[in-house]
Amino acid sequence: MRMHRCRLAKSQCTAQKNTVTIISLETPDIREQTASFRWSVRPTSALYHHEEFVMTFPESLRMDAVPEAIWWTVFLACVHSQWMFLRPCRVVLPVRLPHGEAGFWLRMVDVQLQTHEVTRGVHEIRRDVWIEEGSRMLKAVAPLREAPLCGSSFSGGKDSLLQAALLCELLPGSRPLLVATTSPMEGKSDHSTSRRRHVFAGIQSRRDVTLVEVHSTLRAAWNNGFPGVLGFQTSVNEVSDTFLYFSSLLVVAYAMGIPHLFLASEAELQENLEIDGLHVQHPHCMYSGSTQRALQKLLKRWGMSFGSLNYPLHSSLVQSLLWRRYPDLADLQYSCWRMNQDEACCNQCAQCLRVALCALSVGGNPARMGIDLHQLFPALSDWYPHPLPPPEEQLFPKRRVSLELARQMVQFIQNMPESRMELLLDGISDSPKNAETLKAYARIRQAAAGYPTGGPTGFRDDYMKWMDPLLREPLRKICAGAFPMEDPGLTSGMRERSDSLVEWITAPLERTESV
């Protein structure tokens, strides 16, 4: 067996135990349209409700066209980010992975480990994860032929709606693939609401796309709050979800011969900082540009590309472009994950407030998305922007993103004075609630008064180089025609750190070395 291990520093293990956990992965079992993935954890861990998950694909797809090596990539993508919660652990495989892939996955663990440990105040870190490979070699994967065919992960959020619209506009007649992953999780209804069904039907009726839905039990297999027991400031789905969505997209696209793949990753997700030699990203680094571009190098050998169409765009610009350029799709936006089964949104959370204010700032009506201002503003009347922390803390990625989102919210509010809000409410209805809603909005405006916003939000042209060359130039024209350009000097350090991190993660794929 080959064993791979890397020690990052000299401190104690996060799990604070001496017993090495053995994680044994079984060969994926592919039967007709269902792929089953099983493993065992010994000693057992409260991390998992079930040590298995399945992915079920439509009958229209030929699963026998997907090579075993891709199924192993899916398995490792879906579970590797959870290993940091089981340290020290030895991951035992029955197969020998292609050259460099074991080292690649261990470094992907490192990326998340550094971010989440430093976020909770730990600066001396040991990975304490080993991979032991078996002797059976996996067969090489036949690369796909190049073609201007694209697929995108689809959820109905503003990012995936924008990506779908852009692909339809820029590649007319290509009928882009949209892959939706339905995987309900305990305590959440966002994957099972009637609103989600409405969104899926709506995008197919309004654009010439091929929507494929993949069903999975992965998100029901874990105890989502387990990391908090260990002191982590995250949940399992916050480090794992987009790896599942990537995996669904990968399998469907390979089976259909589609080489260009996309999954949303906004400008905020590219925030990073080096602290004591450690590379710290935003806690949602599971879909940062660094993570996506590392996966892109893994897929390159199969003739496939992977990335995002949103790298240059801040969150507010994504929604703004959607509402201004594709107003016929804007009402499908599905961004709240706290709604109940029969709701379009919860009308109670800061996410709903941000979505509503952004739509209002560009002349849109939030009611088209199911947002009720009569509920939302009174429920959030005590909202206030994130207070400015000391200057040294403002550099921390999570803080920077919080401040950026607060700045954007204040800009939305400034673009929607009370007089315009009054006209809007009167236009919606002559409700006796209008006066109460206006008072609540006035309190929100008062909370935003005096908060520093700087100049208008711009797009990051220097992130265009990360994009798939197939669409890079037409996307640059769209962004340049819609928004001012952000000074590249403001983000050059983050961009360079991201590039270096991608090179480090993927180095094992390029050469034989100790990892």
Side-chain angles (χ1 to χ4, degrees):
M1 284 190 171
R2 289 191 296 179
M3 182 182 294
H4 303 265
R5 179 191 181 190
C6 179
R7 187 167 132 175
L8 297 182
K10 298 181 179 180
S11 79
Q12 59 189 15
C13 166
T14 302
Q16 296 181 350
K17 61 183 181 180
N18 295 320
T19 303
V20 175
T21 298
I22 306 300
I23 308 171
S24 300
L25 276 57
E26 299 181 16
T27 297
D29 184 10
I30 315 302
R31 300 188 184 185
E32 297 181 344
Q33 304 310 116
T34 298
S36 299
F37 303 86
R38 300 182 181 90
W39 65 95
S40 64
V41 179
R42 298 296 180 270
T44 58
S45 170
L47 172 59
Y48 295 115
H49 300 308
H50 313 286
E51 294 175 351
E52 66 176 346
F53 72 94
V54 299
M55 298 176 72
T56 305
F57 299 85
E59 292 184 0
S60 58
L61 295 177
R62 284 189 54 205
M63 293 298 96
D64 58 355
V66 181
E68 183 184 8
I70 288 184
W71 290 117
W72 273 106
T73 295
V74 166
F75 201 170
L76 293 168
C78 287
V79 300
H80 79 280
S81 61
Q82 296 141 45
W83 297 343
M84 65 179 168
F85 307 132
L86 297 171
R87 291 176 293 148
C89 62
R90 179 176 291 111
V91 181
V92 181
L93 309 180
V95 296
R96 184 181 293 260
L97 299 174
H99 170 75
E101 284 195 21
F104 170 88
W105 289 113
L106 289 177
R107 291 190 175 194
M108 288 285 281
V109 173
D110 292 340
V111 170
Q112 294 228 13
L113 183 58
Q114 292 180 49
T115 288
H116 290 286
E117 287 284 45
V118 174
T119 296
R120 69 185 187 128
V122 178
H123 288 256
E124 293 185 358
I125 305 167
R126 285 177 60 132
R127 180 200 292 153
D128 277 341
V129 177
W130 301 261
I131 291 180
E132 292 184 2
E133 300 179 70
S135 58
R136 181 170 69 85
M137 297 289 297
L138 294 172
K139 294 182 180 179
V141 174
L144 297 183
R145 293 195 307 173
E146 170 54 28
L149 301 175
C150 299
S152 177
S153 181
F154 185 79
S155 66
K158 64 183 187 304
D159 304 85
S160 65
L161 278 170
L162 180 63
Q163 290 201 150
L166 286 167
L167 291 175
C168 289
E169 177 184 353
L170 300 179
L171 296 170
S174 66
R175 204 172 192 209
L177 167 70
L178 304 182
V179 178
T181 303
T182 297
S183 183
M185 188 170 64
E186 183 180 11
K188 302 291 183 183
S189 301
D190 55 321
H191 278 218
S192 56
T193 64
S194 56
R195 167 70 176 174
R196 196 167 189 257
R197 297 288 114 199
H198 169 76
V199 171
F200 288 177
I203 190 66
Q204 293 178 85
S205 67
R206 303 180 199 184
R207 291 294 187 276
D208 186 18
V209 298
T210 299
L211 189 141
V212 173
E213 186 173 4
V214 178
H215 294 265
S216 176
T217 61
L218 177 61
R219 298 171 85 235
W222 58 54
N223 174 359
N224 202 41
F226 179 81
V229 176
L230 302 178
F232 284 92
Q233 300 174 21
T234 188
S235 57
V236 181
N237 76 301
E238 288 181 298
V239 303
S240 299
D241 272 1
T242 54
F243 290 113
L244 171 62
Y245 307 153
F246 157 78
S247 297
S248 298
L249 178 61
L250 170 62
V251 170
V252 175
Y254 188 89
M256 296 178 64
I258 296 174
H260 299 272
L261 310 184
F262 302 95
L263 191 151
S265 181
E266 302 168 345
E268 283 82 2
L269 267 297
Q270 317 322 324
E271 295 285 340
N272 61 64
L273 183 65
E274 186 174 321
I275 301 177
D276 297 336
L278 300 174
H279 191 103
V280 183
Q281 302 182 77
H282 186 273
H284 291 170
C285 58
M286 61 177 174
Y287 59 112
S288 69
S290 301
T291 300
Q292 290 190 347
R293 293 187 298 132
L295 288 168
Q296 142 71 18
K297 289 199 175 184
L298 188 67
L299 269 58
K300 184 178 180 181
R301 63 181 70 178
W302 304 334
M304 305 178 80
S305 64
F306 177 59
S308 175
L309 300 179
N310 301 337
Y311 292 140
L313 297 174
H314 288 275
S315 175
S316 61
L317 301 188
V318 171
Q319 188 174 358
S320 175
L321 191 60
L322 174 66
W323 278 79
R324 288 173 170 170
R325 195 173 186 90
Y326 310 108
D328 66 313
L329 296 181
D331 65 294
L332 296 178
Q333 185 174 333
Y334 182 73
S335 296
C336 177
W337 59 87
R338 299 182 181 181
M339 80 288 286
N340 293 320
Q341 188 70 37
D342 57 349
E343 295 178 329
C345 58
C346 74
N347 283 306
Q348 299 283 327
C349 69
Q351 175 78 349
C352 284
L353 181 63
R354 182 179 301 112
V355 168
L357 289 173
C358 185
L360 288 166
S361 73
V362 295
N365 184 350
R368 294 182 60 203
M369 298 177 286
I371 293 178
D372 185 345
L373 299 181
H374 293 315
Q375 293 184 45
L376 181 65
F377 286 161
L380 275 296
S381 62
D382 60 350
W383 172 87
Y384 60 90
H386 260 277
L388 293 173
E392 64 273 12
E393 293 185 23
Q394 293 181 28
L395 296 175
F396 207 78
K398 186 176 181 178
R399 287 293 191 119
R400 284 177 62 90
V401 171
S402 296
L403 293 172
E404 172 59 24
L405 293 178
R407 187 184 71 84
Q408 293 173 21
M409 288 271 273
V410 173
Q411 286 187 334
F412 301 154
I413 294 168
Q414 290 176 345
N415 291 338
M416 192 65 186
E418 291 176 61
S419 57
R420 280 178 55 198
M421 183 66 71
E422 185 174 3
L423 290 173
L424 173 68
L425 292 175
D426 288 343
I428 295 174
S429 66
D430 186 20
S431 170
K433 294 182 179 180
N434 283 5
E436 178 187 354
T437 301
L438 283 170
K439 287 181 181 179
Y441 183 65
R443 289 194 292 270
I444 293 172
R445 282 186 60 83
Q446 180 60 38
Y451 194 85
T453 62
T457 302
F459 79 99
R460 294 177 173 175
D461 184 67
D462 50 335
Y463 285 1
M464 287 288 180
K465 71 171 188 175
W466 293 356
M467 284 193 176
D468 190 319
L470 178 68
L471 299 169
R472 183 185 298 147
E473 289 310 314
L475 278 168
R476 174 179 277 117
K477 290 180 181 179
I478 288 175
C479 291
F483 310 112
M485 186 185 300
E486 188 175 284
D487 180 359
L490 298 175
T491 56
S492 59
M494 290 192 299
R495 187 184 68 251
E496 291 167 2
R497 284 190 293 272
S498 179
D499 291 343
S500 297
L501 184 60
V502 173
E503 291 180 6
W504 181 78
I505 296 171
T506 59
L509 301 175
E510 308 297 333
R511 60 184 183 273
T512 302
E513 63 172 42
S514 174
V515 296

